Structures are given as C-alpha cells and as structure tokens.
Amino acid sequence: MEIRGLGERFEALCAELFFAIGYQIARQWSPLTSASQTADIHASKKEDSIVIDTKVVPANPPTLRELRDVVARSKAVLSNVDSSSMHYVLLSCNVEPAHREWLERDFEIEIWDRGQIERQLRRLPPKRLGLTKRFSQFFGELAAVERIGESARRLAERSKATDSRFSEDTPDYLEFGEAGLGFSEEGPLEGDVLRDKLRSIQPGREDAKAYEALLQEIVNYLFGDYLVDPRPQSRTEDGLDILDLVYRVRAGHPFWDTLTRDFRTRAIIFECKNYSDGITPGQIYSTERYVNAAALRSVCFLVSRAVPHENAELAAFGAMREGGKLFVLLHDAHLEEMLAIRQTQRQLQAKEGSPVRDFANDPSEILDQAIYDFLTRMGR
C-alpha cells in the first residue's frame, strides 16, 4: 500500500482513538473556513483544545534528523492553524526517549509515538477492542513498508562505510579508533555519568574551574573526534584576554565542517559562565573582545547554568550584525539533552555493530537548531 493510503488510515484511527478517550472530534479542522491549512484533527473536551497533526514515518525508529524535520513541519502547520490550542503530533513510529525530550521542549509540542498510542489503547474499556485490533493490523501492514526501507538503508550504509574505509582522504582512526567507537572505554552510560557530574557542580565562583573542566569532558564525549587540540585558559597575544576553551576543528563532521565554512573560522571558542542567574548583555560585550573574525575565531559557544536573560540575545544579534561574530547561547538543559542524544547514538551504533558514526542521530542537531532559531529571529 502507498504511504498516502497508510497516512489516511492512520489519521482516521488516531481520530477514533481520541474519540474513545472522551474528546469531541473534528477532522481537517481550522477555526477559519477560508483557511488554506487545516489540522488533521481537532480534539476538544471541557477546557482542553488540541490541534493534532498525524504522520506516517516509514523508518522505525527514524533518525533524529528525520524526526526534527517531521516535527518542524507539523509545528509550522499547527501554529498557522491555531496558535492558542495545545499542539500534538502523532507518529506511526517509535521515538527514542532522548530524542522526544529535546523535540518536545524545543518545538513546544507533545509527541505521541507508537508506544504512547499502544499505552492509550491498553487503557480503553473492553468495548473498544475493535479499535485496538485495527491499530494492530495497521502497524502490521506498516511493518512491511518499514522492512523494505530498512533493507535499503542498510545497503546504503554498507556502501558508504566501504567507500569511506578505502578512501585515501579518510583517516582510519576516525572510523575505527577508540575515540570513534569508545564503547568499552567509556561505557554505554557515560552520558548519564557526565549529566550527574553537571548537576553536582554548584553555580558560583568557587566551582567555576570545576565547571570549565567538566565542559571539556562533555565536549570530548560529544565531539571528541572532531573538536581536537583543546587549549584551556588560552591567552591572547597581548596578554589581556584569556579564552576558557579553544578547539581546532578536524574535517569530517558535516555540522562542524559547515559551521567553519559559513563563518570562516578555524578555532571554536567555548566560554563557561558558572553563574546562578542567566547571562546578561554584559557577558556578551566582555567576551566579544576576543571573538575575532580577522583571526578566524568568529564563533563562540557561551555556556551558562540557566536560561540567558532576554536582552543577552539582543546583544548577540548586535555582535553578528556589526562584526560577523556568532554567539551561540547554551545552558545546562542543552548540555543534558546532547548528552542523552549522544548516549542514545552510541547505543544504537553498538546495536548495529557499525564502526561509522551516524550523523543523522547526532547531538549536533541541537546546535544546528539553536543557530537556525537565532538567525531567523535576528532583525536587520
């Protein structure tokens, strides 16, 4: 069966599920009769108003990159239809927990995947058994489509891995070295260990060095094959400025290759602010002195413990407009999400038995989304 036909069936089943839960349902809904876009489903119950987009995703589970694109499209449609209601996207696939947590927070949308749908079905009374059976039949038919897609993906990956292994331009240690695999040395739960360390460090001057040292550990865990030669407390030529962490970018990672090309930078700066409150414009202005486009040092990840003050982003906009300097404002929530996604990526890689890093499930998706959001908000 074509994906289109599966999508229509999935939408109808999801509408019936919400009706069984106790909602009033409208299909292909919009508050404006003349609207060009509609939500697949509008579910209402007492004070609750939910607009829902449904998506059949052939891969199961899909990559983080695929999910990011799917959820972004659903969020855009639902926001245009009704910005005041709650936004849900119902997916036919399973979603890794770390991927779901980031997507729900960043896109402000609730995600129901196959597992969540099945949990809702188990809670229904026996008289709704027919709906459960129809969902089961649907997922069974979809599995055939998933198997075809998975076979094609594996063939493509094997071809890509073979090409990269015998390429003279690809250093072997990126594919087969301990830093590339790293399963035995760091263990599959290293992301959890680093997250717990992060939570144990108290904001304030006393633990500032510990926070900086831990950030170096975290960056190594996330991107250690590609951000290399770290220089902690690197002093500029005039001796006036000290950079917390500076990295050289090794070629081979799509995100870092694109970032260095687009912003003409050879060095990536990480500045650590172990403050109790979010950073202010003052921290942007003081750091801007040594973020130097002429020195090919134009990108700075400014990492703090809490969400930055609103005016800090205005200062970052000014640095970009006036000097072409990119400030990416991160905080602990971003770090925890990237740690969880990297841990999931490594576990999937171990399960597949593949020595090649899967960039479609990479924590750099969070950084790419943060930069995209920043650039879309910047005025003239």
Side-chain angles (χ1 to χ4, degrees):
M1 178 178 287
E2 295 182 355
I3 293 295
R4 179 182 178 87
L6 289 171
E8 292 171 351
R9 283 180 57 197
F10 184 58
E11 179 186 325
L13 288 169
C14 291
E16 192 173 347
L17 172 60
F18 270 80
F19 181 76
I21 294 172
Y23 286 88
Q24 296 295 316
I25 298 300
R27 301 275 301 278
Q28 297 301 310
W29 179 88
S30 172
L32 301 175
T33 56
S34 60
S36 59
Q37 288 184 312
T38 60
D40 288 344
I41 303 166
H42 178 250
S44 57
K45 181 171 64 174
K46 296 182 180 179
E47 301 299 321
D48 289 346
S49 176
I50 305 172
V51 285
I52 302 167
D53 197 35
T54 62
K55 286 286 189 290
V56 169
V57 183
N60 187 32
T63 65
L64 179 59
R65 184 176 298 166
E66 291 169 323
L67 281 170
R68 177 185 168 194
D69 290 342
V70 167
V71 173
R73 285 194 293 269
S74 293
K75 181 64 178 181
V77 169
L78 297 178
S79 295
N80 285 334
V81 170
D82 184 359
S83 60
S84 62
S85 293
M86 294 182 287
H87 294 166
Y88 282 34
V89 57
L90 272 59
L91 305 176
S92 64
C93 59
N94 292 300
V95 177
E96 297 289 345
H99 297 172
R100 179 211 303 275
E101 289 174 13
W102 171 60
L103 290 164
E104 288 188 330
R105 182 195 64 81
D106 200 82
F107 289 94
E108 296 181 341
I109 193 170
E110 183 158 337
I111 297 171
W112 282 20
D113 67 350
R114 184 180 301 189
Q116 174 70 357
I117 290 170
E118 290 174 342
R119 285 190 291 274
Q120 291 292 338
L121 290 169
R122 287 194 291 270
R123 296 171 185 166
L124 296 179
K127 66 180 181 179
R128 297 293 185 180
L129 183 60
L131 176 59
T132 301
K133 289 181 177 179
R134 289 195 296 278
F135 259 109
S136 180
Q137 181 182 2
F138 171 81
F139 287 138
E141 293 177 20
L142 184 59
V145 178
E146 292 168 353
R147 282 193 293 271
I148 294 171
E150 179 66 13
S151 297
R153 185 185 67 81
R154 287 177 182 273
L155 285 172
E157 283 187 351
R158 280 200 293 270
S159 175
K160 180 180 178 182
T162 301
D163 291 344
S164 66
R165 288 172 192 171
F166 293 99
S167 169
E168 295 180 357
D169 299 329
T170 304
D172 289 341
Y173 51 78
L174 284 183
E175 302 294 347
F176 301 105
E178 288 183 348
L181 282 173
F183 302 124
S184 60
E185 182 179 352
E186 293 180 316
L189 299 179
E190 180 67 10
D192 289 341
V193 173
L194 291 171
R195 180 204 61 204
D196 292 342
K197 283 185 180 180
L198 179 64
R199 293 178 178 180
S200 69
I201 294 178
Q202 297 300 310
R205 183 182 298 273
E206 186 174 338
D207 280 351
K209 292 295 182 184
Y211 186 59
E212 181 182 316
L214 178 59
L215 182 63
Q216 187 172 346
E217 282 189 69
I218 290 173
V219 171
N220 183 64
Y221 176 71
L222 297 174
F223 306 112
D225 281 338
Y226 304 97
L227 295 185
V228 298
D229 192 13
R231 304 291 179 91
Q233 294 294 302
S234 179
R235 188 176 292 273
T236 57
E237 178 188 21
D238 56 16
L240 298 178
D241 298 314
I242 298 177
L243 289 68
D244 286 350
L245 278 171
V246 183
Y247 289 90
R248 174 170 60 85
V249 179
R250 177 188 284 151
H253 192 296
F255 170 78
W256 296 109
D257 289 350
T258 300
L259 190 68
T260 54
R261 181 196 67 217
D262 289 352
F263 291 93
R264 295 187 68 252
T265 188
R266 293 292 301 274
I268 301 293
I269 301 171
F270 283 81
E271 280 291 301
C272 315
K273 303 299 182 183
N274 195 41
Y275 304 150
S276 301
D277 298 325
I279 60 170
T280 64
Q283 279 81 57
I284 303 289
Y285 300 142
S286 62
T287 306
E288 190 180 358
R289 295 197 309 269
Y290 45 85
V291 179
N292 190 329
L296 301 183
R297 199 174 64 227
S298 61
V299 176
C300 177
F301 291 88
L302 194 54
V303 188
S304 58
R305 308 305 303 271
V307 176
H309 289 285
E310 181 179 349
N311 289 339
E313 188 175 60
L314 297 178
F317 289 152
M320 171 63 79
R321 277 193 298 267
E322 296 166 14
K325 304 173 184 180
L326 175 65
F327 281 88
V328 184
L329 308 183
L330 304 176
H331 51 86
D332 280 5
H334 294 110
L335 297 181
E336 291 195 16
E337 288 165 345
M338 286 193 289
L339 287 170
I341 287 171
R342 176 61 174 146
Q343 182 168 287
T344 298
Q345 180 189 39
R346 288 161 57 88
Q347 289 171 323
L348 292 172
Q349 189 177 344
K351 183 178 178 181
E352 294 288 333
S354 171
V356 182
R357 181 161 177 153
D358 180 6
F359 294 118
N361 279 312
D362 202 74
S364 60
E365 292 291 318
I366 289 182
L367 301 180
D368 189 62
Q369 185 69 26
I371 293 170
Y372 174 70
D373 288 342
F374 174 79
L375 294 177
T376 57
R377 288 194 297 268
M378 188 173 75
R380 291 183 294 175

